[in-house]
Amino acid sequence: MDKYGHKNSRKLITSDVAAMDFGFDISKNEKTVLNFMQNLRSAMRPATLKNTYGQLNSNQKNQLTAFLFPFTDMGKFDGTKYTDIQIMQFLKSGIHHGKFKGEKLSKDPVKKPIEKDGFDYYPYSATQVNQLTKKLFGITIAPKNYIDSDGFEIARYKDGFFYILSPNTGSSPAVSSPQVDKLYSLGNGLYYAEFVIYTTTGFEPDFRNYLKSIETWSNTERSMSFEYRTGYALLKEVVVNGQKSWRLVRYSEDGTLLSNTEIAGYQKKILK
């Protein structure tokens, strides 16, 4: 191999399916290369893992899209390592950016907001807050004040209500839509999903179906959106009031996927 320069060779791509390190500049063709790698990594899944997303009916696909919507822009979440402050930050951001459409979470119409240092803290029933966190994550958060890592109070608890900070900034007008394209059953109601987040450059009043599967989108809606991020979610299928739903176990939208080794680890835990 010496005559082919083997001694001076280098890896062009380093990956264990989950993470990638490129040995060359992809800046001019980043989207094309990343899409190719996303498809390549998925193709590296063991034959025992079958993509079952195509077996879902239209309503089930819409439900999955709507469930994942509140988590877009969350970054990362791991149900084995979360903290209550992380959940409260998620709630604060979600309220501000309108992520909880259709959920029973609203400002109390009677109680007045608390003003502190020029910021307003609006009252939300702790019952409503914990009903939402129970639905999304299967957890509840403690009735207490919440201070972030910078020492800034983002929520205050008083008499059965969380007074949650309302930022003095406008929310993003862009709309995001998480679209699952691969769904693998790991056993015992645990699923691994890979998705693409589509977004718009600004407010688009005609982009009405962002909470539904891309299969329902009109040509106009397709033309006004573009691929923004990719990621994965570990989901637990649950039954609530006789209806099937989902709970989030783990989430990432930074372009990485779980490796085959990590997926096998979750499957082993199920079998124990």
Side-chain angles (χ1 to χ4, degrees), residues 158-206:
K158 181 180 179 182
D159 299 332
F161 285 82
F162 286 109
Y163 289 78
I164 300 176
L165 172 68
S166 177
N168 289 347
T169 58
S171 61
S172 171
V175 178
S176 297
S177 179
Q179 295 294 324
V180 171
D181 54 13
K182 295 176 180 65
L183 183 67
Y184 303 99
S185 173
L186 306 186
N188 197 31
L190 187 66
Y191 288 80
Y192 170 70
E194 295 175 4
F195 58 78
V196 176
I197 297 176
Y198 290 80
T199 193
T200 61
T201 55
F203 176 64
E204 297 286 356
D206 293 327

Side-chain angles (χ1 to χ4, degrees), residues 73-142:
D73 298 322
M74 186 183 190
K76 288 188 175 184
F77 172 78
D78 187 335
T80 66
K81 301 176 182 178
Y82 80 93
T83 60
D84 281 2
I85 184 66
Q86 182 185 8
I87 301 301
M88 182 55 75
Q89 288 172 321
F90 162 76
L91 292 170
K92 176 181 73 71
S93 176
I95 291 170
H96 182 55
H97 294 292
K99 296 291 187 180
F100 303 128
K101 299 180 186 297
E103 300 292 350
K104 295 180 180 179
L105 182 66
S106 57
K107 299 175 188 175
D108 186 85
V110 177
K111 291 185 176 295
K112 295 182 179 181
I114 294 175
E115 193 275 333
K116 179 183 177 183
D117 299 329
F119 291 93
D120 291 321
Y121 294 74
Y122 286 93
Y124 294 84
S125 162
T127 298
Q128 284 191 356
V129 167
N130 278 319
Q131 284 176 341
L132 180 60
T133 59
K134 187 73 174 179
K135 176 182 176 181
L136 297 180
F137 304 102
I139 61 174
T140 58
I141 60 174

Side-chain angles (χ1 to χ4, degrees), residues 22-23 27 32-33 46 48 55-56 107 115 136 138 148 161-162 177 188 192 198 210 225 232 251 253 260 264 271-272:
F22 294 95
S27 58
T32 300
V33 174
T48 52
Q55 298 175 17
L56 301 184
K107 299 175 188 175
E115 193 275 333
L136 297 180
D148 66 17
F161 285 82
F162 286 109
S177 179
N188 197 31
Y192 170 70
Y198 290 80
Y210 60 92
S225 60
Y232 70 84
Y251 178 91
E253 58 180 48
N260 289 333
L271 294 174
K272 286 183 179 180

